[in-house]
Amino acid sequence: MNTEKAKPILTALSAAAAVVLAAVGSGAFGGTPVASAAGGYLSSTATPLAPAIPAFSIWSVIYTGLLAYAIWQLLPANQFSERQRAIRPWAAASMLLNAAWLWAVQLGSLPASLAIMLALLVVLCRLLMLSLATPAQSRVEAVLSDGTFGLYLGWICVATVANVAAVLAWAGVALPSEPTSGFVLGLAAAIGLALASQRAWVPLLSIAWGLAWIAVARSAGPLVLPGTALAAAISAVVVLGGIPLFAWRGAPGRRRHA
């Protein structure tokens, strides 16, 4: 089979693998739910930087988008798009890394899960750079390609923070919860603003979503940390504020004035 013709098929198979592994990770087919796997260090109450359980509903949107993208990129008109040729390998890699992360968690290896998560973050950042370099050719492409992987990237930014906290807890590293969490959450907000400065709006939505649910998780329940909750809420507002701020600064009239 021609290599270029095979790549869209492999991308679609990667999406299918990610969804199946997600079902296993949710506890279906005999798998252990992520919150209970790996010693429970990834649960919503295990660390100060773990989001509340409802935050993870964003995966339903992301997986739906990945499946829709996988089908869309198989269409003849999209198979040989130069933009999709550049994006497709990174998209497939992100899906396979997501599946690998779930396997690592099911096997109880937190260090491996963190290594995979960091690789996934790098892949999604590269995918974002490629997407920004060439505008989408249609609204459908903007939604299915840029929208899906933008949400994916934003959520993985938050998930990486939670994964690091889980590994530190597993390793027995005890850091002061309040000042350390506030610093990390501020860093997450700074990353969001950096993305906004590049006019990458979609990742900000999922970053703010994750930060808001960290605020909720630390406001009630068995692990209440008022300082962390406040820092997470402020960071979420700052990230969302980056959208209109940088949109205004990047408006054509403002550029001409500058």
Side-chain angles (χ1 to χ4, degrees):
M1 181 184 290
N2 182 283
T3 304
E4 289 303 320
K5 289 184 177 180
K7 286 179 180 178
I9 297 173
L10 292 175
T11 300
L13 291 175
S14 299
V19 172
V20 170
L21 264 294
V24 173
S26 69
F29 310 120
T32 304
V34 169
S36 302
Y41 286 103
L42 294 169
S43 71
S44 62
T45 58
T47 68
L49 296 175
I53 292 174
F56 298 94
S57 62
I58 195 173
W59 276 117
S60 298
V61 179
I62 293 172
Y63 284 129
T64 299
L66 290 177
L67 284 176
Y69 169 78
I71 295 170
W72 173 84
Q73 58 92 40
L74 282 172
L75 299 177
N78 306 318
Q79 284 191 25
F80 302 106
S81 158
E82 288 300 323
R83 187 174 194 260
Q84 288 305 314
R85 279 181 173 178
I87 290 174
R88 190 177 283 118
W90 299 94
S94 75
M95 299 171 196
L96 293 175
L97 284 169
N98 180 67
W101 184 87
L102 286 164
W103 268 114
V105 172
Q106 288 292 314
L107 294 173
S109 178
L110 281 171
S113 76
L114 179 57
I116 295 168
M117 181 73 77
L118 292 172
L120 175 56
L121 183 60
V122 170
V123 166
L124 289 171
C125 285
R126 177 57 180 165
L127 202 156
L128 175 68
M129 292 172 63
L130 292 170
S131 298
L132 291 174
T134 309
Q137 300 302 304
S138 67
R139 290 184 179 180
V140 173
E141 182 176 17
V143 171
L144 295 183
S145 183
D146 300 9
T148 295
F149 290 102
L151 284 178
Y152 195 0
L153 170 60
W155 176 252
I156 291 302
C157 287
V158 176
T160 300
V161 168
N163 211 153
V164 169
V167 171
L168 290 176
W170 167 82
V173 178
L175 298 175
S177 296
E178 295 287 16
T180 304
S181 298
F183 172 78
V184 173
L185 292 167
L187 181 60
I191 292 172
L193 292 178
L195 291 171
S197 70
Q198 299 301 311
R199 301 180 66 77
W201 314 125
V202 178
L204 304 190
L205 299 177
S206 43
I207 291 176
W209 170 267
L211 293 174
W213 281 108
I214 291 176
V216 171
R218 300 291 76 81
S219 299
L223 185 58
V224 174
L225 295 169
T228 300
L230 179 60
I234 292 173
S235 297
V237 171
V238 168
V239 168
L240 287 179
I243 297 177
L245 173 63
F246 284 95
W248 174 72
R249 288 186 60 185
R254 293 290 301 173
R255 289 198 298 268
R256 285 196 298 270
H257 179 69

